[in-house]
Amino acid sequence: MAVTGLDIYKLLPQTNCADCGVPTCLAFAMKVAAKQAALDDCPHVSEESKEALGTASQPPQKLVTIGSGDSALKIGNETVMFRHEEKFHHPCGIAVLVNDTDDLDAKAAAIKNLFLERMGQNIGVDVVAVRCGSGDGQKLKDAAMKMQAALNLPMVLIAESADKLQAAAEGLAEARPLLWERNGPSDALVELGARTGLPIVVEGDLDKCDGDVQKARQAGIEEMVLCPGEVTPRGALQFLTMSRRAALKRTYRPLGYPVLAYAWSQDPVQLSLEACHYVLKYGSIVVLDEDRPEYVLPVLVARQSVYVDPQVPVQVEAKVHEINEPHDKSPLLVTTNFSLTYYCVLGEVEASRVPTRILTVDTEGTSVLTAWAADKFGPEQIKEAIEKSGVFDQLAEGYQKPVIPGLVAVISGELSEELGRKVIVGPREAGGIRRFFNSEWPTLVGS
Amino acid sequence: MPVVTFLPAGVSVEADPGTSLLDAARQANVPIRNDCGGQGICTRCQVEVKRGEVAGRGSGGGLAEGRFLACRTLVAESDLEVYLPEETREVETEVTLRRTDPFPADYPPPGAMVETVELDLPAPNLDDNVSDSERLVRRLRKWRDAEYHIPLGVLKDLPVRLRDAQWRADVTVSVEPWGSRILRVGRPARKKPYMVAVDIGTTAIKAQLLAPEAGWVASCYNSQVMFGPDVISRIIHCQRDEEHGCPALKQLVVQDIERLIAALLDAQGVEREDVWALVVSGNTTMIHLFLGLYPVWIRREPYVGCAYLLAPVRPEDVGVNINPAGRVFCLPAVSSYVGADITAGVLATGLGDRKRPSALIDLGTNGEIAIGCEEFLVCCSASAGPAFEGGGSASGTRARPGAVESVWSEGTLRWRTVGDEPPVGICGTGYIDLLATLVRERIMDKTGRFVAGAPGVVQRDDEFLYVLAPAEQAAGGRDIILTQADVENLVRAKGAIYAAGSVLLESLGMDWGDLETIMLAGGFGDRLNKDNAVTIGLLPDVPRERIAFVGNTSLQGAVMVAQDAANYWKARDIAGKMTYFELSTHPDFMDRFVSACFLPHTDTEKFPSVSAAQE
Amino acid sequence: MPVPDVSERLSGAINEVTIGATEEQGGSRTRTVTIGGETSFPMLSFEGRYPHPPAFALQITAADVDDWHAEAKKHVADVAGDLEKWAGKCEEWGADLICLDLAAAHPDSGGRSPEQCADDVKRVLGASGLPLVVWGTDTDEVDNNILPKCTQAAAGENCLFGTAKELNYRTLAASCLADSHKIIAEAPSDINLSKQLHILLKDVGVNLQDIIMHPTTGALGFGMVYIYTTIERGRIAGLSGDTLMQQPVVVNIGKEIGRVKEAVSPEEESPQWGKVQVRAPLWEAATAVGYVEAGAELLVLRNPEALQQAKTALEALWPKPPESA
């Protein structure tokens, strides 16, 4: 259950001593509630208070780490059902399946080919699932070792029974692979997991998972991943939704673990769509038996999208955006790099079909008025952005007149002095851009 | 150097070529109306050049023939005669005096920030031969145990004065954060030290004389308005002109306060020498400017002011002309955007003493909200803008005689003005009524857009606007209107206030309905129609008896501090206890703001009484 | 301790909206399409109803298709320029509805007159028995000019017309009311703006049950997630009883795909992304499936291949009501 700032405030000394670095106890309590500070940061908090808060603030879904070192995958610890309620915290792992009977070099090369970058982020495949297709535990171990050496990615080791996992688990224990015994865990796997300290998969319907998790916990296993097994997408969605709800809304700890979802579809298009669907709906590891980029790419992009923090203002790149193929007599609109602001302007400009340049000034993702008030969208900043972009070089004499949002009309005089050029005050809202282009713009540039 | 003469005042000033007419007027102390700080935007500073040649690009662009923008028109080589039309002169410099209930004859009461006490001192002798100053302090400690400081100026003639008073002296002391300061020692005068409480608003300044049987509040526009309507524009002015900007703004506000004090003293027949203290409230930027503190970092992340908790200063240090031995006290602020005015408001309304949470909403230019009770106090600022104070609107004005203060419908729209004088403009309460009535009559839709063809709606320059009173009825000979941009500003302002309050409450896990009282403060009129304030969604739809209109609590708080030093400590306590919420980075604020930018609100179920009335 | 029952019974339901009118209903459609009616979040059959599968419309237009990306264009190359033929094709391709895009009315795209547009509507109605969606130009003056003629031309057919926006809703609302059509209310990715628009429409007489909302559309990787979240938020509100958020959702996906490099960049330019003939339709289908996960019920596509892919994927998800075949 969420603990509010006021709840925490009641546990504090309420002296407003500021020893924690925050001006008041309530402000500190709010920070603790928002997980931006720890209760321990208050040097005067009582032991009883710490205890009272301790149990309430334990995460309802366990954090599980697979792999080791820089490439380790941390999953779980999710706090919400819908991303706008806070955010999805730990991007799911996307795993490509490899059989120990495959041409491993070719597989490794194919997976390497899926290390993709997009919008400055590494979005590639980040887990390898190695399956014991041969039925020989030693072969599984060799294949896993080979993939480990070639890719150094976290691994899921899959076999029909615990004994086939043993060699690989022991040989690769340092690399912390996730052990998935199909339809497991058997007592043997629980024993293997407890002995090696490796995370294990608990497979089955919710009731089976419930029981097996409690059994494994008693054996001393802490990190587990649930899996609904071979079910339809509909069944998987149900499992994913219900286990997450039980954990988050009821704090039901036996189901408070991340979930592995396997895309079972045979047709590669359907497999890709199924995997996208698990990425959006609560999968923490999504396994695909597919390594061709055209099928994997949408899954990777879906993950990148859904794990964006919705509470951080999204910024677009601060630069000149060219819309509708502008030429040297096209208008130059100036706005902030707050994505909502930019997309409002972009939408109107596109709809107008007027060739236009939009210069987005780096205002750290704040809107026009906020940026102006905080001295991030003033004459100096706009001048600097214009000069840095060199956009005037692309504009004919008489058209080097930036159009600024009407909301900051007040800076037009000074900006004009700074630039030594006329500055045009545009409409207050993006909605006025089309009318501006039709009626005012032509007269302002004297055409 | 060319001489510029401003008509009809007939005031002349020498100005360098290249000086704007607006700056020349400022140098000549001739006020020119101007809402944008001389940026050529607001077109309020229109003048007519009657004689001489000017430079610059102050004409054309939609201005009437012969009209120039003073801010964009420059002095050239020749002498000039510049005529200021009436609307340009509308910055009233004159002070409005209003009567209030007079204070009792024995006012101020004991325990005020500055008070005079008559003391009998034992005369020194060979056994009891401590120094005069120790003798005085020893006696004072018996009267009130504290640290006492005797400044050199008082010390110098202390021996003479004590003996002159034959060891029975009046001692005037002020309360200081560290103890007490002795301001004067002398023969018993039987005259109490008077004080003046001041509220420096972004738009208007008010002052009240605290003296026996005094009953006056004086007010005027804040002359800084000519550098822009909001605190941000004024900070920008300081930033742009690092050398003169801040001093110029300081001088303007000090001059305003001087004029208010003069009016108060004149009305009551009191001498300046008798005023021993100024107790000043106002938002953080206003207090900074009053003291001449450079305010620029207030607007820059992470929004930090120079000082929030201010020690008393000498009158000459700020340049106010009261008894030179007196003191100037500023109330403490909480943060850069929650100022002393809110501390004062919390004090005046007793918000922090209540058993159950209540809210104080200050509908000033900055729009601050405080919520709390004896257990906690939180606050935030909503940067509402000056819309409800009449700033930045086509026909906006502050609450003064002739301001439209209420509007209602009897088939057609009716209105009344303050003092039943011919209308000069619309003040805050008038705007609240007007919006509510126009929505109710479906002359505008719930986003605030005028309905084409509705009665009173006309189209000018491609924009719809509403004519409340035609020019022939109005005092200024111009239509009293509401433009689409005015509505946008008002809706944004009320949306910001409501959204800020909602987010603050949500952070506490509360709802408007959990509040015992919602107090609306501000100087935007005296006739607040609660139903209309709810109809436009400025205030939540709670039982009307929970809504209270509390007036200018900033001034009230300053008065309370002045007359009772205990309140000085309480104000500091309040400022220290209040938790400030920064909304500009709050993830939910924008969402709540958008939902509140609708009449009354996007979530209609939150306003059942309004929906019921509209069905 | 048994696994807790976490199924949720929500107090609200999404409106059921039918598009199209058969002969008995005063129109000439061979079938109608009903969307909405859900009582739970998408596809959660264990706790609520999802009585109608998401419906798919294919877009057709009298404007030229030069700006369509190659993988979509190749399917329509034979029929572009002939609305009637194209409409017939849509039926073959398995569309549930046809979406006539009126872009051709824009002065920059040929400036078809109101009469020509009305005639286009009539011809499409004549060529196919599918219910019809008519989508305006995104330019207020043009829309106000052409849409009243088009609603009139389709009177009795119970079409879906769009789009009404906060700054331009009165004309379309009045014509949809006069000619008994459903209306698309468009508000850019913000549930508050959507709700405000619904209130405005209600204030001019539009029944809230006749509104389909369009929170605007972005493709996967190109703005989809904002709108996805907007739809989710609206769905939570609607299912919790907010009548202003109980309108089904339409997204217009087809025209967005061309913006996404990953979807349409040819192999010679981007070999690392694999085959473009796979990527392009798959991207459109993945975008559609994603929107359905958020709550969208009506999806406008361009690529018939994508339509098939998305429908197949959704069959594996959609809990068919027991009584239907």
Side-chain angles (χ1 to χ4, degrees), chain A residues 289-305:
Chain A
D289 183 4
E290 178 59 64
D291 59 14
R292 285 169 290 177
E294 55 269 40
Y295 297 105
V296 180
L297 191 57
V299 186
L300 299 175
V301 172
R303 173 180 61 178
Q304 184 185 28
S305 304

Side-chain angles (χ1 to χ4, degrees), chain C residues 38-222:
Chain C
E38 303 93 308
T39 59
S40 73
F41 293 103
M43 312 293 176
L44 299 186
S45 49
F46 60 91
E47 62 184 10
R49 286 175 0 112
Y50 196 117
H52 309 287
F56 285 82
L58 281 174
Q59 190 193 26
I60 66 173
T61 177
D64 68 41
V65 293
D66 285 353
D67 61 337
W68 288 36
H69 65 85
E71 290 302 316
K73 197 155 53 182
K74 73 180 184 195
H75 294 284
V76 302
D78 292 349
V79 288
D82 185 339
L83 283 176
E84 283 155 293
K85 242 175 151 173
W86 195 346
K89 262 294 198 199
C90 290
E91 221 169 322
E92 277 175 40
W93 284 326
D96 304 304
L97 308 91
I98 289 169
C99 176
L100 173 62
D101 186 300
L102 295 177
H106 196 281
D108 299 346
S109 305
R112 278 173 94 74
S113 69
E115 292 70 27
Q116 284 172 310
C117 291
D119 187 55
D120 291 345
V121 169
K122 276 200 168 134
R123 285 188 298 129
V124 172
L125 285 167
S128 161
L130 295 183
L132 182 64
V133 182
V134 181
W135 206 288
T137 64
D138 214 24
T139 303
D140 297 348
E141 304 84 74
V142 178
D143 278 3
N144 291 344
N145 227 352
I146 57 172
L147 288 177
K149 284 268 189 290
C150 295
T151 59
Q152 219 177 347
E157 298 285 7
N158 188 26
C159 300
L160 175 64
F161 273 84
T163 59
K165 308 187 192 72
E166 187 191 292
L167 289 169
N168 189 45
Y169 62 91
R170 288 174 185 270
T171 308
L172 183 58
S175 17
C176 283
L177 276 174
D179 300 317
S180 304
H181 296 295
K182 305 294 192 289
I183 190 165
I184 302 172
E186 176 175 305
S189 196
D190 185 309
I191 79 165
N192 291 305
L193 297 179
S194 280
K195 289 173 67 171
Q196 291 171 10
L197 179 55
H198 298 167
I199 295 172
L200 295 173
L201 287 169
K202 186 172 162 234
D203 282 353
V204 295
V206 175
N207 190 333
L208 287 177
Q209 319 282 325
D210 290 340
I211 297 174
I212 308 275
M213 58 179 158
H214 180 223
T216 66
T217 310
L220 171 63
F222 210 85

Side-chain angles (χ1 to χ4, degrees), chain A residues 77-145:
Chain A
N77 255 195
E78 295 299 338
T79 52
V80 292
M81 300 298 292
F82 299 100
R83 56 191 289 278
H84 71 267
E85 295 170 328
E86 187 182 346
K87 64 173 180 178
F88 290 173
H89 294 267
H90 293 100
C92 62
I94 292 175
V96 166
L97 184 76
V98 174
N99 270 300
D100 61 358
T101 51
D102 286 342
D103 174 349
L104 295 173
D105 292 324
K107 273 283 171 189
I111 292 171
K112 263 198 181 136
N113 204 23
L114 295 169
F115 291 0
L116 296 166
E117 223 193 71
R118 188 170 188 270
M119 304 194 313
Q121 272 184 310
N122 200 337
I123 65 161
V125 162
D126 50 1
V127 180
V128 186
V130 188
R131 196 173 83 100
C132 184
S134 64
D136 177 347
Q138 195 55 44
K139 272 197 101 166
L140 175 66
K141 180 187 168 190
D142 293 345
M145 294 288 227

Side-chain angles (χ1 to χ4, degrees), chain B residues 126-143:
Chain B
L126 278 173
D127 289 329
D128 178 14
N129 60 356
V130 298
S131 72
D132 290 346
S133 69
E134 279 173 83
R135 183 171 306 277
L136 177 61
V137 169
R138 193 176 65 189
R139 177 65 186 89
L140 276 167
R141 285 226 173 97
K142 276 191 198 156
W143 168 69

Side-chain angles (χ1 to χ4, degrees), chain B residues 120-300:
Chain B
D120 263 327
L121 284 84
N125 57 46
L126 278 173
D127 289 329
D128 178 14
N129 60 356
V130 298
S131 72
D132 290 346
S133 69
E134 279 173 83
R135 183 171 306 277
L136 177 61
V137 169
R138 193 176 65 189
R139 177 65 186 89
L140 276 167
R141 285 226 173 97
K142 276 191 198 156
W143 168 69
R144 186 201 282 156
D145 190 32
E147 288 295 317
Y148 286 92
H149 170 65
I150 312 178
L152 188 58
V154 174
L155 216 46
K156 269 183 189 160
D157 47 6
L158 181 66
V160 178
R161 284 177 171 262
L162 282 176
R163 287 169 182 83
D164 177 52
Q166 296 174 342
W167 303 102
R168 186 187 182 83
D170 261 8
V171 182
T172 305
V173 295
S174 67
V175 172
E176 309 278 323
W178 45 265
S180 276
R181 179 182 171 106
I182 293 162
L183 308 182
R184 175 187 171 269
V185 177
R187 285 188 193 179
R190 309 233 163 267
K191 201 171 191 181
K192 295 207 172 204
Y194 304 156
M195 296 175 285
V196 172
V198 182
D199 164 43
I200 309 176
T202 311
T203 306
I205 307 180
K206 288 195 173 184
Q208 185 165 11
L209 177 63
L210 310 182
E213 289 168 345
W216 298 104
V217 173
S219 60
C220 66
Y221 268 118
N222 184 335
S223 302
Q224 295 173 346
V225 167
M226 67 172 88
F227 289 99
D230 49 43
V231 297
I232 300 291
S233 344
R234 304 207 194 145
I235 295 174
I236 288 174
H237 183 71
C238 296
Q239 212 174 330
R240 265 207 311 253
D241 187 351
E242 276 183 34
E243 198 184 336
H244 308 292
C246 186
L249 290 171
K250 174 191 159 65
Q251 199 191 350
L252 284 173
V253 66
V254 169
Q255 281 171 1
D256 285 343
I257 292 173
E258 278 291 301
R259 286 188 291 120
L260 293 179
I261 295 176
L264 290 169
L265 299 181
D266 196 41
Q268 192 67 14
V270 173
E271 300 295 319
R272 282 193 182 263
E273 293 291 305
D274 295 334
V275 178
W276 286 84
L278 226 52
V279 179
V280 184
S281 175
N283 68 51
T284 307
T285 304
M286 289 302 113
I287 298 287
H288 272 64
L289 293 175
F290 170 64
L291 295 177
L293 304 176
Y294 196 54
V296 166
W297 283 275
I298 286 179
R299 75 181 275 232
R300 287 186 179 145

Side-chain angles (χ1 to χ4, degrees), chain B residues 475-513:
Chain B
R478 282 178 309 152
D479 292 344
I480 306 285
I481 56 171
L482 179 73
T483 67
Q484 199 65 73
D486 293 346
V487 179
E488 273 170 35
N489 282 336
L490 289 160
V491 170
R492 269 176 213 274
K494 76 96 191 171
I497 297 271
Y498 186 90
S502 302
V503 172
L504 200 52
L505 284 164
E506 280 168 37
S507 309
L508 297 165
M510 291 166 57
D511 190 67
W512 290 105

